[in-house]
Amino acid sequence: MKTWTLEVCTDSVESALAAQEGGADRTELCASLVTGGITPGKKLFEQVRAYTDLKIRVLLRPRWGDFCYNRYEVEQMKEESRMFAELGADAIVTGVLTPEGNLDTETMEELIQAAGGTPIALHRAFDMCRDACQTLEEAAGLGICTILTSGQQVSAWAGRDLLKELQERSGGRTEILAGAGITPGILRELAEYTGIRAFHMSGKKVRESRMRFRRQEVSMGLPGLDEYKIWQTSPVKIRESARILEELDGERMENGGNRV
């Protein structure tokens, strides 16, 4: 029986198809991955549902930037939570913090209620909170199904000590999903060190724009970003990661089901 989960964050149908081709279990669907991801549109969700068999978790993030939202943004999030739940999302991925850096449990409860039974996962707002262990307990108390985290470091490998602690503290109450900097090169060591069994990656490659005419002196977005470079998921990177997890599953079975 498969005991590992590979989640791929995608922001296009092409990337979702690549994730499925590579052997991903599910996708976290968003828009604008280049800015860390924001809430995707309804039509993108419908297309990914139509063209893939992936489980779809939908990112709920109204804008780029911090995770402290005003009442207009919260109202938007609640409406979108209801919408994606009604559309059949497998989970809603979101997070709200107070100005003091704590989990905004009141707003999180409102979003949970708006989802009407669709599972809620906590995204990397967790990595910006003041106290990771306290937030883990609060999230578990709210019934949060998953916490996506890098261990409050720039990458999951750098945060591996906290990831290991969170996995142990969770005790299976909520899934600890390791994300940020996940590549085939560190996957085995990270899994063995932390005991974590769920991993989140983009597996991105950069492809050239199809534009032949290019006006380089005009920028439409964030300074420093090359708008003629398009981020997409690489099925090769996802396939290699899936292969490593399959190997770990095989080794675990050989060891009688014990942790590899």
Side-chain angles (χ1 to χ4, degrees):
M1 186 177 89
K2 186 173 183 178
T3 62
W4 304 84
T5 298
L6 182 59
E7 176 180 285
V8 179
C9 52
T10 63
D11 62 359
S12 68
V13 176
E14 291 91 343
S15 285
L17 286 167
Q20 177 169 273
E21 180 185 342
D25 299 291
R26 67 190 187 214
T27 183
E28 181 195 286
L29 187 63
C30 65
S32 189
L33 261 178
V34 73
T35 60
I38 58 174
T39 307
K42 174 184 176 183
K43 193 60 186 179
L44 177 58
F45 175 89
E46 291 175 337
Q47 287 182 310
V48 172
R49 178 64 85 206
Y51 292 119
T52 77
D53 297 320
L54 293 170
K55 293 182 178 178
I56 305 174
R57 294 187 163 196
V58 179
L59 178 65
L60 203 65
R61 186 184 182 204
R63 56 165 170 77
W64 176 84
D66 65 31
F67 303 105
C68 185
Y69 300 118
N70 62 41
R71 65 187 182 92
Y72 306 109
E73 292 165 331
V74 170
E75 188 59 36
Q76 175 186 336
M77 293 168 75
K78 287 160 62 175
E79 288 300 319
E80 289 172 330
S81 182
R82 292 187 190 97
M83 177 183 73
F84 284 116
E86 290 170 0
L87 287 171
D90 294 286
I92 305 293
V93 185
T94 193
V96 185
L97 301 180
T98 68
E100 294 73 32
N102 300 314
L103 187 66
D104 187 339
T105 54
E106 182 178 340
T107 301
M108 290 297 293
E109 284 180 343
E110 292 177 9
L111 293 172
I112 290 168
Q113 290 173 5
T118 297
I120 297 287
L122 175 59
H123 60 35
R124 290 189 64 207
F126 180 89
D127 288 326
M128 305 301 286
C129 75
R130 181 186 298 274
D131 187 321
C133 294
Q134 175 184 318
T135 302
L136 168 62
E137 294 304 319
E138 291 171 340
L142 288 168
I144 298 291
C145 66
T146 297
I147 296 174
L148 169 61
T149 173
S150 64
Q152 297 196 323
Q153 297 294 327
V154 69
S155 70
W157 181 249
R160 61 191 180 278
D161 289 332
L162 180 55
L163 286 173
K164 181 178 181 180
E165 180 181 355
L166 292 169
Q167 178 71 1
E168 292 169 352
R169 282 178 177 269
S170 173
R173 291 175 296 162
T174 186
E175 174 187 65
I176 303 300
L177 176 63
I182 301 295
T183 66
I186 60 99
L187 193 50
R188 171 180 282 274
E189 285 185 86
L190 185 65
E192 291 174 342
Y193 184 81
T194 63
I196 285 173
R197 314 193 74 79
F199 300 90
H200 171 101
M201 65 186 297
S202 65
K204 70 175 178 292
K205 63 180 179 180
V206 180
R207 69 167 176 83
E208 280 291 322
S209 165
R210 294 168 52 236
M211 290 291 296
R212 290 187 291 273
F213 173 76
R214 302 186 179 191
R215 191 174 294 284
Q216 299 286 0
E217 65 271 23
V218 178
S219 174
M220 295 292 168
L222 295 175
L225 287 180
D226 187 339
E227 289 158 356
Y228 297 104
K229 303 288 186 184
I230 312 299
W231 289 15
Q232 261 185 336
T233 297
S234 164
V236 175
K237 292 181 180 180
I238 306 306
R239 189 178 301 114
E240 178 62 11
S241 297
R243 182 190 64 78
I244 291 168
L245 295 180
E246 287 171 4
E247 286 180 357
L248 288 170
D249 244 346
E251 292 167 17
R252 182 171 178 270
M253 293 303 295
E254 289 175 7
N255 292 333
N258 296 321
R259 175 178 154 187
V260 174

